[in-house]
Amino acid sequence: MPTITLTQHNFDSVVASNPIVLVDWWAGWCGPCHRFAPVYEASSDRHPEIVHGKVDTEAEVALSAGAQVTQYPTLMAFREGLLVYSEAGALTPDALEDLVQQILWLDMDQIRRRLAEQDARELATTGASATARRAGPAPVSPRYGWPGL
């Protein structure tokens, strides 16, 4: 499946309506972005079940600012609408494939439990829900590990 262009108008609906969405935040002047582009395209061909989106940060300034993207390229991964990965820097084909496999194997029930626990602690401490302020990021590390190992 070819990559799709994400804009301020379709970003939320694409993330909300697809089980897994990878987002490449790039800039036209960025050398590493141009080197990462074919790696990302190859991943989109290899994994048609995953939406691979691209955001042109020069054209989508407000969207980039809202996502707090300041380094390029930045790769984000959303699973079931939750942000489960966000790192700046171009990945090698093997590293991107490893990341995709980790995202596929995520235990989303465990992530939702952790998020609920974090919300409960935040509500008890400050009286406000953390989810409302976070808008969905899951409290997980960039390296997830494989289930059962």
Side-chain angles (χ1 to χ4, degrees), residues 120-134:
R121 284 192 303 272
E122 187 74 17
L123 189 59
T125 304
T126 66
S129 171
T131 301
R133 289 195 312 278
R134 265 196 327 268

Side-chain angles (χ1 to χ4, degrees), residues 8 11 25 60-69 76 133-135:
Q8 188 168 348
F11 187 89
W25 301 79
E60 296 295 331
V61 176
L63 182 60
S64 302
Q68 300 176 348
V69 174
M76 290 184 181
R133 289 195 312 278
R134 265 196 327 268

Side-chain angles (χ1 to χ4, degrees), residues 73-93:
T74 291
L75 183 63
M76 290 184 181
F78 295 87
R79 173 104 186 252
E80 299 175 16
L82 295 174
L83 179 64
V84 295
Y85 177 88
S86 180
E87 287 288 323
L91 297 176
T92 65

Side-chain angles (χ1 to χ4, degrees), residues 8-84:
Q8 188 168 348
H9 302 291
N10 70 353
F11 187 89
D12 290 337
S13 65
V14 169
V15 168
S17 63
N18 292 282
I20 300 175
V21 179
L22 295 180
V23 181
D24 174 23
W25 301 79
W26 65 280
W29 49 263
C30 169
C33 296
H34 290 286
R35 288 189 294 277
F36 181 59
V39 172
Y40 194 67
E41 288 290 334
S43 177
S44 72
D45 292 338
R46 184 173 181 167
H47 296 284
E49 73 282 10
I50 297 174
V51 173
H52 286 68
K54 295 181 74 86
V55 176
D56 178 351
T57 59
E58 295 171 298
E60 296 295 331
V61 176
L63 182 60
S64 302
Q68 300 176 348
V69 174
T70 58
Q71 296 177 331
Y72 311 104
T74 291
L75 183 63
M76 290 184 181
F78 295 87
R79 173 104 186 252
E80 299 175 16
L82 295 174
L83 179 64
V84 295

